[in-house]
Amino acid sequence: MSAYCLATYRSFDEKADFHKKAQGIAVGLTVGSWTELPEAQKASMEKHLGKVVSVDVHEPAAGESLSGRYADITIAYPDVNFSRDIPALLVTVFGKLSMDGKIKLIDLKFSTDFLAGFPGPKFGLQGVRDLLGVHDRPLLMSIFKSVVGYELPALREQFYLQAAGGVDLIKDDEILFENPLTPMEKRIAVCLEAAEQASKETGQKLLYAVNLTGPTSQLAARAKRAISEGANALLFNVLAYGFDVLHELSTDPAINVPIMAHPAMAGATYPSPHYGIAASVLLGKLMRIAGADLVLFPSPYGSVVMPKEENLAIKQVLLTQDLRNDYSYQAEADASLKLATSFPVPSAGIHPGIVPLILRDFGTDVIVNAGGGIHGHPMGTIAGGHAFRQAIDATLQGVHLRDYAQTHPELKAAIDTWGIKE
Amino acid sequence: MSAYCLATYRSFDEKADFHKKAQGIAVGLTVGSWTELPEAQKASMEKHLGKVVSVDVHEPAAGESLSGRYADITIAYPDVNFSRDIPALLVTVFGKLSMDGKIKLIDLKFSTDFLAGFPGPKFGLQGVRDLLGVHDRPLLMSIFKSVVGYELPALREQFYLQAAGGVDLIKDDEILFENPLTPMEKRIAVCLEAAEQASKETGQKLLYAVNLTGPTSQLAARAKRAISEGANALLFNVLAYGFDVLHELSTDPAINVPIMAHPAMAGATYPSPHYGIAASVLLGKLMRIAGADLVLFPSPYGSVVMPKEENLAIKQVLLTQDLRNDYSYQAEADASLKLATSFPVPSAGIHPGIVPLILRDFGTDVIVNAGGGIHGHPMGTIAGGHAFRQAIDATLQGVHLRDYAQTHPELKAAIDTWGIKE
């Protein structure tokens, strides 16, 4: 029995016969030609042939521009046509097709067979919580303020101030590469020392995600060196390297720390309505099957904005247990196959007055990630961390931030500075 | 003395102060903050600070929509901030920024220092011509008609018919992955055997570009295995794996055959006017510095279309000797640094009647690449190759195809089928 992976496209065209187009995709991206094949050959080729699953045409209303005419087309691609890796899947379903007019890949659904090649996040949401020993609240993460051109003592100081404020995770800046001022090994040493100092004061554990950079073939070795130096998490610019590189790193048994996927470059691919790959696929499904334990993406709250519905679509695919295809064409009688969930990290423009919105939109299985909202606190970086923790506590207790701020001066100062977003 | 790489963006905004935005990019993507730094620190940080090179604002004319308001902004990024690899450069100049509203990366210029890390194509245009012993005409390449689901004898037959028609290069289909019917080693064996048979008849040499697929970490070993089996060229889906993977493959001394870059997935990135990366950067400069000897891209002639000016921009950066930055801010007194040029391969929708247009637009340093235009010839695949060679000969001799066709029945049949595009 064959299994199929499904791709859904939004295709814009003012006058196309979308059903014919769908048939063209199903044949063109698989066996190449079909109707002219001899019947005997059809029998042997049938298992390689793509199938049109659905074509939903959206005609513009009377008086509306034809430029808004589109169809959502779902095609089933036989697994037998491609190897069990993300490059093969993407080249099959959106290699040549990506260049064929206004067309966007808006969903992917994986067969049980295909997913079997992807163990997914090694830690996932639950594993990250276990490492930190925090199960009852959203986590708090912070980002260095400035790193390029800074020396080790300045980096250590920034790290300590963030850690002392009670954050759970600190990540390297994604633009911090191997450099003479703060090379990876030395950076790990001073930051972990600062983490230990802070931990004595806060009683908390902390994950430091070190930016994994350099030539592709050396990444695994560099990751292992970072881990041997004490790094307890990694940051990775997945889209600058490719999903398969993340997949190989995440399935390497010796890389036994959580991997945090950074969305750098993602804006080159998801935002256009007419081209590219939807955010829920790019930063959601593909990141998760490739093994990202935590996934950063632009929040709908700040200056770097993603529409709320796209954010929630990412959240949904990161947190929904089963990513299998529900397409029953020659469906497998399949065993249970569950991936660990990935921690969603909506980022950018976050200050304590936004925490209630984050928890309303994401629930408690979310990481509140702040940069300027911590470092820019009028009472300093440590107070900045405290203000966030207070905002989280207040929201979990169902207390309005303004009321909680009466007895929590750090939160009050934050609110006086940035306000509360309702 | 510091060196700089330059990035140019097209930023759309109905009301932004683009000069302020440019300053924000120059600081935000480098040192993080500037005006508030103490003077002493500024002195040490200055070499890490990005510089605004130019801001060209295009205000819409009176009565035009403000949605067309944009600026082309060029920023110089100090090399000292990033390592000598494409992921580091891209994450620096377009990592976070790609997600910051309507902004497209439209050009990159490399410093002498940065380029020094990129030997470029190992063969390049000249090397490919040398391998084939053809220096006086455009090359002819063909593509298999259908491959998925076919067995070795059918593949061999298709290969032979293409080769016997006088093509110079044959490429695997980019969606042909490792599979039980036509595994790589066996495919190479039967295709090279067919090539030899055809060569006895045509007296020509031929390059067969074998699709390099599979897990990233195994690509180099697979490439070497292909070469040891006799493969004399490789096809690679660069964008599904990342530019750095191509860079590492192309700089591996043991991978001593030309690498052909396929543009699969490129349409997810270049076509939008508001987002992504321009085709001349994605399929031009980055492919070339990463070491692609041949680069396929959608032609402006066929069904998968790219506007002509974008095509010519790709051609120009593939064929222009010097890709260095002409930005003289603290300019290097630099040695000559020249990359081999990459062979441009405009693809899709090509039939013999289009050959005069291709040569008019690209000159003779181009590869005429055809699929349906060869296999669909009414007199068969061999005649299809002949028709193309005749069209090339006619055009080089300055003879109109219609006249040349009087004495060349294959060309005549092609023209009768597909016409001549003027």
Side-chain angles (χ1 to χ4, degrees), chain A residues 28-39:
Chain A
L29 300 188
T30 59
V31 295
S33 52
W34 185 251
T35 47
E36 59 266 45
L37 290 185
E39 287 308 313

Side-chain angles (χ1 to χ4, degrees), chain B residues 113-259:
Chain B
D113 264 12
F114 187 82
L115 264 195
F118 296 86
K122 199 177 281 163
F123 293 84
L125 185 145
Q126 203 52 51
V128 170
R129 284 196 174 286
D130 291 346
L131 286 174
L132 291 167
V134 178
H135 295 91
D136 57 349
R137 60 167 173 83
L139 301 180
L140 177 61
M141 175 160 127
S142 70
I143 301 174
F144 285 94
K145 187 183 177 195
S146 302
V147 292
V148 170
Y150 284 76
E151 312 221 11
L152 284 169
L155 205 72
R156 187 197 188 285
E157 173 72 3
Q158 271 192 62
F159 192 100
Y160 168 75
L161 295 174
Q162 296 173 81
V167 309
D168 302 292
L169 304 99
I170 298 177
K171 66 173 263 297
D172 264 348
D173 201 312
E174 76 279 2
I175 59 168
L176 186 62
F177 306 101
E178 199 51 18
N179 73 91
L181 297 177
T182 52
M184 187 182 76
E185 276 95 338
K186 291 193 177 154
R187 201 157 83 225
I188 293 171
V190 301
C191 289
L192 290 185
E193 191 189 273
E196 203 171 337
Q197 179 188 346
S199 179
K200 283 182 189 146
E201 299 157 14
T202 64
Q204 278 187 223
K205 293 181 182 171
L206 188 145
L207 293 176
Y208 168 37
V210 180
N211 199 17
L212 183 60
T213 66
T216 306
S217 63
Q218 295 171 32
L219 291 171
R222 263 181 82 76
K224 290 165 199 173
R225 197 152 69 245
I227 293 166
S228 77
E229 298 289 327
N232 52 17
L234 297 167
L235 176 71
F236 188 50
N237 290 309
V238 179
L239 301 174
Y241 286 96
F243 286 105
D244 191 62
V245 178
L246 172 59
H247 174 58
E248 293 203 291
L249 292 169
S250 73
T251 50
D252 186 327
I255 300 178
N256 54 359
V257 301
I259 301 176

Side-chain angles (χ1 to χ4, degrees), chain A residues 95 98 216-217 241 244 248 265 267, chain B residues 95 98 216-217 241 244 248 267:
Chain A
S98 72
T216 305
S217 63
Y241 286 95
D244 190 62
E248 292 203 290
M265 308 289 303
Chain B
S98 73
T216 306
S217 63
Y241 286 96
D244 191 62
E248 293 203 291

